[in-house]
Amino acid sequence: GDSVTQMEGPVTLSEEAFLTINCTYTATGYPSLFWYVQYPGEGLQLLLKATKADDKGSNKGFEATYRKETTSFHLEKGSVQVSDSAVYFCAALYNTDKLIFGTGTRLQVFP
Amino acid sequence: GAGVSQSPSNKVTEKGKDVELRCDPISGHTALYWYRQSLGQGLEFLIYFQGNSAPDKSGLPSDRFSAERTGGSVSTLTIQRTQQEDSAVYLCASSPPGGRGTGELFFGEGSRLTVL
């Protein structure tokens, strides 16, 4: 079945380090792809999205590019901040109304 | 309120008891979703309501789980005869008209259920 796989955490970085969180999806059709973020004590919120191949979603300094050839949607940020510490979820929307999520990756950024 | 509201935020119950979890979506949002988040697991889809259409119940793990949505607004997720494996955070999300199929969901903070 359709699924989303993302790297296990926690990912631990120093402030201003470069971040990559890997995400791959099953290549059934052409899903829309998303990154959601869950800050401590808050509900999940949409971070960015891409709806077709080669699209780049971006928000708050984070970027992710829809790569059809590698079925990937890796999340990147050039310089992380302590306030970026959160759990990040990759998700895919196939030809249904169900958003399929990965297992989440916890990011911890230390000053 | 401005966001999706869920209650209770925490619930501890004994095995075999029934529990009800409530979700109040954002006003005007026509779609409502329930997900379950277990430790070390992703978000598991449970059920989806869209307007007056029949709900998509394909994610409910057993017949002990049921959900209803009254008046196209508030939703209640009921778990009967709870088991320890039901312990999880239950998340509700809503999306606006036109939000269906876009994947842009607005989540509540969840109801943490602990079954002893």
Side-chain angles (χ1 to χ4, degrees), chain B residues 1-45:
Chain B
V4 176
S5 177
Q6 292 189 243
S7 61
S9 55
N10 277 287
K11 175 71 176 178
V12 179
T13 190
E14 293 180 348
K15 178 182 173 181
K17 301 285 190 182
D18 297 351
V19 297
E20 287 189 350
L21 307 176
R22 175 189 168 103
C23 173
D24 199 346
I26 293 172
S27 178
H29 280 197
T30 54
L32 186 148
Y33 305 75
W34 284 98
Y35 283 85
R36 177 167 71 174
Q37 184 178 18
S38 304
L39 190 64
Q41 305 291 319
L43 273 70
E44 176 187 6
F45 168 79

Side-chain angles (χ1 to χ4, degrees), chain A residues 34 36 49 93 97-99, chain B residues 35 100-105:
Chain A
F34 307 82
Y36 276 78
K49 64 181 280 190
L93 184 71
D97 295 320
K98 294 191 289 283
L99 195 59
Chain B
Y35 283 85
R100 178 185 185 188
T102 70
E104 296 184 25
L105 275 55

Side-chain angles (χ1 to χ4, degrees), chain A residues 55-92:
Chain A
D55 268 3
K56 177 184 285 187
S58 61
N59 187 24
K60 299 182 180 180
F62 290 89
E63 293 183 341
T65 301
Y66 191 141
R67 300 287 187 198
K68 181 169 175 287
E69 62 276 14
T70 54
T71 63
S72 66
F73 193 56
H74 304 322
L75 182 68
E76 297 181 336
K77 186 173 185 181
S79 177
V80 293
Q81 305 300 311
V82 173
S83 57
D84 294 326
S85 298
V87 182
Y88 293 82
F89 291 89
C90 187

Side-chain angles (χ1 to χ4, degrees), chain A residues 11-55:
Chain A
V11 174
T12 304
L13 295 173
S14 298
E15 207 163 27
E16 300 183 4
F18 184 86
L19 168 72
T20 299
I21 300 178
N22 291 338
C23 171
T24 57
Y25 62 93
T26 52
T28 306
Y30 301 96
S32 294
L33 301 172
F34 307 82
W35 278 99
Y36 276 78
V37 59
Q38 186 174 33
Y39 296 105
E42 298 184 18
L44 272 83
Q45 56 188 272
L46 178 66
L47 179 61
L48 54 83
K49 64 181 280 190
T51 58
K52 61 183 187 297
D54 300 325
D55 268 3

